[in-house]
Amino acid sequence: KKAFSTEESVRWRDVCARLRADFPRVTYLPHGVLGENQSPMNGFLHVIAQSPIALQAAVDRHAVQIAPCTDDSPYFYNRFRSGPRELHWLLVLVGLWCLVVALVALLRRRPATHQQTTHAGALPEWIALCAGAGFMIVEVSLLQKLVLWVGTPTTSLAVLLAILLTGAGVGSLISGALASRIRPVGVLLIALIAIVVLGVCLIVASPHVLSLVADGSDGSRLGAVAVLLLPLAVVLGIPFPVALGILAGAGRERAIPRLYALSCSFGVLGSVLAILVSVVWGFTVAILVGLAAYGVLIIPAARVWWRADQEQTT
């Protein structure tokens, strides 16, 4: 990611001179080694190379998406400013299906049989809904964003998925132990805040940390990714088991299958939304959207925790 030197430009000029005659000609190399080519295209490229404002103006006035690709959004095939049309249709269809599932789940919700837990209300359903979408958005976006640092796509997918799911499994395992010492809603509230904080820290810290090991071995890069990803993965595994515990504590075990339906359905919606947001705004924004899905649960969880605290006090 640095400019060509004069020696490199001369070397590429000699390479171009040896190309077959029917190959397209290279019309420009830095430092004037090919002479001054005043073609309209080279003039246009010269203008936008000198000014980011001119580049943005050229992108804005073009009919299709011609903005340069970045590591944060490397979708070179996307020609539409709002993303591929197929993703829009897929998002609408999956969204309609999720709406049906959510309506069925919420309308069939029965009141709790234990008086002391009725203050939880529809919180378990909302946890399944938001956590299902949020987990998939964060997962898909992180896998795409971190693949650049790990290696080949196949290896990266296997390793990163193993780290993320192992961490989430550990979080699910310890959620029961934590809920036995702290009220389940308290565990949920701590986990939600931790998810948002750790997610933002991961976004900020990962480029700096991973750049330090970019030239290292595969093991060092994988180790750095694991250290960055595991804390977030652990807390991501906590909310859904807590929702199941809240249902069990309220005597609503028959609603557990509906929670799985909500979580899985909105997980599909989250995966589609993650790709669409990544294409239009980049992986970083997509991760923030996933974190926001967890963040919106903080207020209702805090309200339930406060009501339970007031009930216990009285």
Side-chain angles (χ1 to χ4, degrees):
K1 295 185 178 180
K2 58 183 179 180
F4 283 107
S5 65
T6 303
E7 292 76 14
E8 288 173 325
S9 296
V10 171
R11 180 165 60 86
W12 284 115
R13 180 197 62 189
D14 296 340
V15 170
C16 294
R18 295 195 297 269
L19 295 177
R20 286 168 29 189
D22 57 342
F23 274 29
R25 295 293 92 188
V26 175
T27 62
Y28 173 82
L29 282 170
H31 308 289
V33 298
L34 286 181
E36 295 296 329
N37 188 312
Q38 300 298 324
S39 68
M41 177 56 68
N42 282 359
F44 168 73
L45 294 176
H46 176 76
V47 169
I48 65 174
Q50 303 303 315
S51 170
I53 298 177
L55 171 60
Q56 189 59 47
V59 171
D60 292 341
R61 66 172 175 263
H62 208 278
V64 298
Q65 175 63 281
I66 62 168
C69 293
T70 64
D71 289 343
D72 200 49
S73 184
Y75 298 95
F76 61 89
Y77 55 81
N78 176 42
R79 300 182 295 110
F80 303 100
R81 298 183 185 276
S82 58
R85 303 291 169 79
E86 297 84 356
L87 282 179
H88 287 267
W89 281 109
L90 185 59
L91 184 66
V92 170
L93 293 174
V94 175
L96 290 174
W97 169 250
C98 289
L99 180 61
V100 172
V101 174
L103 289 175
V104 171
L106 294 175
L107 291 176
R108 290 177 60 86
R109 186 174 63 86
R110 294 182 176 87
T113 57
H114 296 265
Q115 185 64 31
Q116 68 272 21
T117 56
T118 55
H119 52 260
L123 181 61
E125 284 81 2
W126 287 110
I127 294 172
L129 187 154
C130 294
F135 185 89
M136 288 303 298
I137 294 174
V138 172
E139 178 188 46
V140 171
S141 304
L142 281 175
L143 292 179
Q144 296 285 343
K145 186 177 179 66
L146 295 177
V147 68
L148 179 67
W149 300 97
V150 179
T152 61
T154 303
T155 303
S156 302
L157 178 64
V159 173
L160 293 174
L161 199 59
I163 294 172
L164 194 60
L165 294 182
T166 300
V170 171
S172 300
L173 182 64
I174 67 175
S175 64
L178 292 174
S180 64
R181 300 181 181 183
I182 312 172
R183 287 199 302 270
V185 178
V187 176
L188 172 66
L189 192 56
I190 294 172
L192 293 174
I193 296 173
I195 287 171
V196 176
V197 172
L198 290 173
V200 173
C201 290
L202 176 63
I203 292 173
V204 174
S206 60
H208 305 287
V209 174
L210 294 175
S211 64
L212 298 175
V213 295
D215 296 328
S217 63
D218 293 343
S220 63
R221 293 197 304 273
L222 289 174
V225 169
V227 170
L228 288 168
L229 195 55
L230 267 176
L232 177 61
V234 170
V235 291
L236 283 172
I238 293 177
F240 188 71
V242 170
L244 298 180
I246 293 174
L247 281 184
R252 295 177 53 202
E253 291 87 351
R254 295 185 63 181
I256 289 178
R258 290 201 295 275
L259 242 63
Y260 277 100
L262 276 172
S263 180
C264 294
S265 298
F266 277 84
V268 176
L269 180 67
S271 64
V272 178
L273 190 60
I275 298 300
L276 185 58
V277 174
S278 299
V279 170
V280 180
W281 293 293
F283 299 134
T284 300
V285 175
I287 296 172
L288 291 174
V289 171
L291 297 177
Y294 285 96
V296 297
L297 289 171
I298 293 177
I299 294 178
R303 291 180 61 185
V304 171
W305 178 84
W306 182 82
R307 288 177 184 175
D309 188 66
Q310 292 294 108
E311 183 179 294
Q312 187 175 14
T313 303
T314 55

